[in-house]
Amino acid sequence: MLKIAFATGDGTAVDQHFGWCRRFDVYQVSAEGAELLESRLLGPADSDEDNKIESRLSEVRDCAILHVCDIGGSAAARVVNARIHPVKVPQGTPVAELLARLRAVLAGNPPPWLRKVLRQHAPEAVPAWTPGADVVASVAGGAA
């Protein structure tokens, strides 16, 4: 299970810039389902850049992935340093669509970036499939 945050104004779509976001909806997601854990409401963004970033980061620090419609370079670096994978999506992308896509990917063969996130945040959910394993097995079997 992964905790995923969405920067949203109304809970239906990702439509917020990370630094100015006043609400993060946090879901618990697996291949089997997704559940809204909570909506985290924030006050107005501080005018001080460091305080603004830290106030938003503190609200998603327990999440593995963060969906936003925009994020500045220094904020993105701090999010990544907190071991959170930021994902920029077009403004207005429906949260339900993103959850469905993520569930489908988790049920199949996740891309390398998502396998890394899984290893960091949910090692029990890492799929057994490893890219190239079939090739290694066939080469090893052919050399014997």
Side-chain angles (χ1 to χ4, degrees):
M1 296 286 238
L2 291 174
K3 278 190 180 178
I4 312 297
F6 298 90
T8 180
D10 64 4
T12 64
V14 175
D15 57 4
Q16 300 291 303
H17 181 288
F18 175 75
W20 300 104
C21 186
R22 303 270 313 262
R23 174 180 169 174
F24 291 107
D25 280 0
V26 177
Y27 285 79
Q28 190 151 323
V29 182
S30 71
E32 292 77 35
E35 174 187 3
L36 176 63
L37 296 177
E38 62 184 312
S39 292
R40 299 176 181 173
L41 305 177
L42 295 89
D46 195 306
S47 60
D48 178 71
E49 186 72 14
D50 282 339
N51 290 340
K52 178 173 68 172
I53 293 170
E54 187 54 41
S55 69
R56 273 61 191 149
L57 183 57
S58 68
E59 291 297 321
V60 297
R61 202 172 291 281
D62 61 331
C63 296
I65 300 172
L66 167 66
H67 288 84
V68 296
C69 67
D70 206 2
I71 188 168
S74 61
R78 288 179 61 183
V79 167
V80 169
N81 284 338
R83 296 177 53 164
I84 303 166
H85 187 87
V87 177
K88 242 174 94 166
V89 299
Q91 185 166 354
T93 303
V95 169
E97 178 184 310
L98 294 168
L99 288 168
R101 276 195 261 161
L102 184 56
R103 288 184 55 222
V105 170
L106 288 171
N109 294 318
W113 73 266
L114 186 51
R115 284 196 300 270
K116 180 179 178 182
V117 168
L118 285 166
R119 281 192 300 272
Q120 291 175 342
H121 293 272
E124 73 285 352
V126 176
W129 183 84
T130 304
D134 295 337
V135 174
V136 172
S138 66
V139 169

